């Protein structure tokens, strides 16, 4: 096998790894801030972004980033008003934007959108152009995350303490949401909008056990994401399974292996029986 | 135009709040409150639960905007804030050392600050594993590490045992004298707090009464607010500050034991 960008597998691997590298660190914050449902809502809004992009004839990635950002900012301001509980707001906006996206798609004369690939991803059809967007967007998102890392960490530990200490919490929060929108947009092609949140949540969940600092957790999460992408794409080629779901399944397998229960079972099954050894003498 | 001579530094005004009003859902939580915090002064804010203490502090800290009134503070005012509660999600791997560094402290200062508050043993412990009392000390250390002009403490002794409480109050008092900073303390355990206080503000949505501790504890509005028993159990403690264990009404000072 030669490593060339003409090979769809190579393009898929590069795209997947590019997304995993930023999804891991970003996902850590989503877990620490308990924003899993928030992320899911943003990924639902991505469909609305796709259909609007087709209707307005603009770039799809930009459409997704726009729709996700607007949805997230509406969410943040509604949450601050405290009119409704936040899980109600999240559920409402997630499904409202999904429905709106589906309705907007139906307005097109000819159906040019492959709905299945939007929902579950189409990593094996990543083009050179897609690759540019994914790597460029991923690099920008990772750089932005590194830039706001410290104030965001401080605001995550205690928002008011950070604010009193001079952190511009709302600005940092808005930047964080924008990074999330970019990552959702570039991950859409990889695993589809229904599975994006798993790519953000599972690698950090695996990493938590092995981490003593926030930075180690982010690094391990990126690594776990990369392993999941490689494993998932390999599996999909060998067993002819859909690539996006295979990547998420690979991540899930890593998660199960990382559970304390798994290591306990491992030890119980394969540990050498030391006491029997003593009795022999 | 009148030119007034500069005030001595011990009476620098750090925060000046005028006519603060804050509504929540049709209720007036803070009603025309004036408050001035000066360098070197220890102000205690007291009031029953739900009297608006925490809201007032949030307004003073700029965490919330008042519906009316102004809060004036110098732009470079350094505030050390000890919040009432802190919850860090289990999913975040973070040690006490790192938590203190997040406030902007240099590594060398962290150990000293933890030593000062008597919590050096938790330096490398995960933040989620330390006790409530240890957490109060760690939070105080983080506030002190900022070398604050103003120290704001929201119920600083919640979850700390009696001995620890007196230690903490002695420490706060020592810091105030040493660094000549202003201290704003929110509390309801009056019998411990008042001893070292310069200025007491009794809040029940509006300022019921304020002034020196003796004056406040004799004030009819204070007695009405805290009930007739307050005259006894919440009497102002005017003990000598030299010994360490004369903190609560029911603890006999060591010096008296010896005599």
């Amino acid at each position: 096998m030669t490593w060339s960008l003409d090979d769809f597998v190579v393009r898929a691997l590069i795209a997947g790894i590019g997304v995993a590298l930023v999804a891991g660190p970003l996902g850590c914050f989503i877990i620490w801030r308990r924003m899993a449902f928030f992320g899911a809502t943003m990924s639902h809004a991505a469909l609305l972004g796709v259909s609007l992009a087709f209707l307005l004839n603009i770039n799809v990635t930009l459409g997704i980033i726009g729709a996700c950002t607007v949805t997230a900012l509406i969410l943040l301001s509604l949450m601050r008003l405290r009119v409704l509980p936040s899980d109600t707001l999240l559920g409402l906006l997630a499904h409202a934007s999904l429905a709106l996206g589906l309705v907007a798609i139906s307005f097109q004369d000819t159906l040019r959108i492959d709905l299945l690939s939007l929902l579950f991803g189409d990593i094996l059809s990543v083009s050179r152009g897609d690759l540019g967007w994914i790597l460029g967007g991923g690099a920008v998102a990772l750089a932005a995350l590194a830039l706001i890392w410290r104030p965001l960490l401080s605001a995550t530990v205690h928002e008011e303490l950070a604010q009193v200490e001079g952190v511009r919490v709302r600005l940092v929060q808005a930047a964080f949401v924008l990074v999330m929108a970019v990552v959702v947009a570039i991950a859409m092609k990889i695993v589809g909008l229904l599975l994006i949140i798993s790519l953000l949540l599972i690698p950090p969940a695996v990493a938590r056990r092995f981490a003593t600092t926030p930075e180690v957790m982010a690094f391990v999460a990126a690594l776990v994401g990369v392993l999941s992408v490689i494993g998932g794409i390999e599996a999909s080629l060998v067993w002819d399974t859909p690539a996006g779901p295979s990547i998420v399944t690979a991540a899930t397998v890593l998660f199960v292996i990382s559970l304390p229960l798994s290591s306990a079972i491992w030890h119980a099954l394969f540990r050498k029986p030391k006491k029997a050894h003593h009795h022999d003498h | 135009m009148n030119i007034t001579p500069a005030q001595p530094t011990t009476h620098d005004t750090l925060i000046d709040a005028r006519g603060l009003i804050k509504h929540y859902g049709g209720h007036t939580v803070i009603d025309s409150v004036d408050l001035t915090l000066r360098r070197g002064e220890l102000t205690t804010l007291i009031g029953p639960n739900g009297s608006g203490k925490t809201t007032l502090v949030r307004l003073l800290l700029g965490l919330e905007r008042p519906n009316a009134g102004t809060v004036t503070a110098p732009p470079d005012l350094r505030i050390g804030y000890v919040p009432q509660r802190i919850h860090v999600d289990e999913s975040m791997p973070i040690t006490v050392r790192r938590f203190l560094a997040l406030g902007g402290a240099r590594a060398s200062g962290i150990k000293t600050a933890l030593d000062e508050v008597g919590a050096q043993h938790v330096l490398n412990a995960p933040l989620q594993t330390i006790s409530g009392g240890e957490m109060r000390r760690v939070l105080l250390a983080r506030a002190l590490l900022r070398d604050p002009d103003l120290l704001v403490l929201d119920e600083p002794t919640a979850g700390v045992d009696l001995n620890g409480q007196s230690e903490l109050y002695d420490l706060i008092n020592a810091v105030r004298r040493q660094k000549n900073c202003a201290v704003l303390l929110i509390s309801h355990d009056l019998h411990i707090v008042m001893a070292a206080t310069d200025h007491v503000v009794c809040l029940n949505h509006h300022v019921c009464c304020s002034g020196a501790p003796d004056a406040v504890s004799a004030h009819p509005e204070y007695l009405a607010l805290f009930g007739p028993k307050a005259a006894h159990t919440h009497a102002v403690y005017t003990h000598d500050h030299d010994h360490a264990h004369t903190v609560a009404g029911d603890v006999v000072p060591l010096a008296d034991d010896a005599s």
Side-chain angles (χ1 to χ4, degrees):
Chain A
M1 178 173 159
T2 51
W3 287 89
S4 155
L5 282 184
D6 294 331
D7 186 340
F8 73 95
V9 179
V10 173
R11 288 198 303 271
L13 278 172
I14 293 176
I17 289 170
V19 169
L21 284 178
V22 60
L26 178 72
C28 289
F29 275 109
I30 293 176
I31 289 188
W32 296 332
R33 299 175 71 90
R34 294 184 167 261
M35 286 174 78
F37 207 5
F38 193 100
T41 302
M42 281 179 82
S43 62
H44 282 69
L47 187 69
L48 182 60
V50 173
S51 39
L52 285 181
F54 272 90
L55 281 177
L56 303 172
N57 208 15
I58 56 170
N59 179 284
V60 174
T61 307
L62 288 181
I64 297 175
I65 293 175
C68 288
T69 308
V70 170
T71 309
L73 293 180
I74 290 174
L75 258 175
L76 281 179
S77 37
L78 283 178
M79 281 171 164
R80 283 207 189 97
L81 286 178
R82 291 180 199 163
V83 187
L84 286 168
S86 41
D87 57 340
T88 306
L89 285 172
L90 286 165
L92 195 149
L93 245 79
H95 298 103
S97 57
L98 186 63
L100 212 60
L102 290 168
V103 169
I105 286 177
S106 75
F107 277 124
Q108 294 168 30
D109 304 331
T110 52
L111 198 62
R112 287 175 297 166
I113 298 174
D114 176 7
L115 202 55
L116 265 188
S117 78
L118 288 178
L119 295 179
F120 298 108
D122 198 8
I123 188 174
L124 297 181
S125 76
V126 166
S127 67
R128 278 170 182 259
D130 292 334
L131 210 53
W133 273 104
I134 289 170
L135 294 184
V140 168
L142 201 57
L145 197 61
L147 203 68
I148 61 169
W149 185 271
R150 194 191 148 113
L152 185 60
L153 197 63
S154 190
T156 301
V157 170
H158 198 287
E159 196 172 309
E160 286 158 359
L161 196 53
Q163 200 174 336
V164 170
E165 288 176 353
V167 172
R168 298 176 70 183
V169 171
R170 292 207 177 177
L171 191 72
V172 169
Q173 236 170 29
F176 173 64
V177 160
L178 199 61
V179 169
M180 246 166 107
V182 171
V183 172
V184 165
I186 62 171
M188 184 92 169
K189 187 82 184 169
I190 308 300
V191 287
L193 71 89
L194 286 182
L195 295 176
I196 285 173
I197 200 66
S198 56
L199 205 61
L200 290 168
L201 293 186
I202 301 174
V206 176
R208 174 61 184 100
R209 260 196 87 205
F210 308 104
T212 48
T213 71
E215 288 74 22
V216 168
M217 183 160 155
F219 181 78
V220 175
L223 200 70
V224 170
V226 169
L227 289 177
S228 308
V229 166
I230 296 172
I233 290 177
E234 279 301 315
S236 120
L237 292 175
V238 172
W239 291 300
D240 196 25
T241 50
S246 300
I247 292 172
V248 176
T249 305
T252 310
V253 168
L254 288 175
F255 174 70
V256 172
I257 291 172
S258 81
L259 287 175
L261 183 67
S262 302
S263 61
I265 292 172
W266 181 266
H267 277 289
L269 285 178
F270 300 105
R271 196 175 47 192
K272 283 181 183 169
K274 281 182 183 170
K275 279 188 178 172
H277 188 70
H278 271 287
H279 281 294
D280 283 347
H281 289 280
Chain B
M1 190 182 157
N2 247 344
I3 297 174
T4 46
Q7 295 291 308
T9 50
T10 47
H11 290 290
D12 281 350
T13 296
L14 293 180
I15 286 190
D16 193 32
R18 291 278 153 245
L20 291 183
I21 294 176
K22 182 74 184 175
H23 308 291
Y24 277 123
H27 294 280
T28 304
V29 182
I30 296 296
D31 191 3
S32 312
V33 169
D34 296 340
L35 189 68
T36 306
L37 301 176
R38 294 182 189 86
R39 189 174 284 285
E41 256 188 23
L42 201 161
T43 305
T44 301
L45 184 62
I46 58 172
N49 290 330
S51 59
K53 298 189 296 282
T54 298
T55 303
L56 179 57
V57 170
R58 292 176 61 84
L59 292 173
L60 294 175
L61 290 174
L63 293 171
E64 270 177 76
R65 295 218 176 102
N67 294 103
T70 54
V71 177
T72 317
D76 57 344
L77 182 70
R78 273 198 312 276
I79 301 177
Y81 173 47
V82 177
Q84 197 179 92
R85 265 185 294 273
I86 179 164
H87 172 80
V88 178
D89 201 89
E90 283 291 328
S91 64
M92 186 188 282
I94 185 167
T95 60
V96 168
R97 183 199 292 264
R98 184 65 197 279
F99 173 75
L100 291 175
L102 270 183
R106 277 172 292 105
S108 58
I110 288 175
K111 271 188 178 172
T112 321
L114 267 186
D115 238 20
E116 250 187 305
V117 299
Q120 60 283 3
H121 57 287
V122 297
L123 180 65
N124 291 310
L127 195 64
Q128 294 92 341
T129 62
I130 66 176
S131 75
E134 286 164 341
M135 193 67 203
R136 310 302 311 172
R137 290 160 192 267
V138 169
L139 283 170
L140 183 60
R142 176 149 164 182
L144 293 179
L145 277 165
R146 290 180 53 73
D147 190 19
D149 302 309
L150 168 64
L151 200 55
V152 178
L153 308 109
D154 198 346
E155 303 274 358
T157 57
V160 179
D161 60 49
L162 212 58
N163 244 339
Q165 287 185 14
S166 70
E167 272 175 41
L168 272 180
Y169 282 126
D170 284 348
L171 177 66
I172 291 164
N173 205 23
V175 166
R176 189 248 314 217
R177 285 177 196 286
Q178 189 190 328
K179 309 202 167 164
N180 194 30
C181 57
V183 179
L184 175 63
L185 237 150
I186 298 96
S187 183
H188 54 237
D189 30 338
L190 314 174
H191 51 305
I192 284 194
V193 167
M194 281 188 166
T197 301
D198 302 305
H199 195 72
V200 177
V201 177
C202 181
L203 189 77
N204 191 23
H205 305 300
H206 66 286
V207 176
C208 290
C209 48
S210 69
D214 310 290
V216 168
S217 64
H219 198 282
E221 276 218 54
Y222 168 85
L223 294 174
L225 199 58
F226 288 98
K229 273 182 82 181
H232 296 296
T233 54
H234 291 166
V236 177
Y237 216 83
T238 51
H239 65 273
D240 185 8
H241 287 290
D242 288 345
H243 27 84
H245 298 283
T246 59
V247 281
D250 52 356
V251 174
V252 181
L254 283 178
D256 291 359
D257 272 353
S259 60

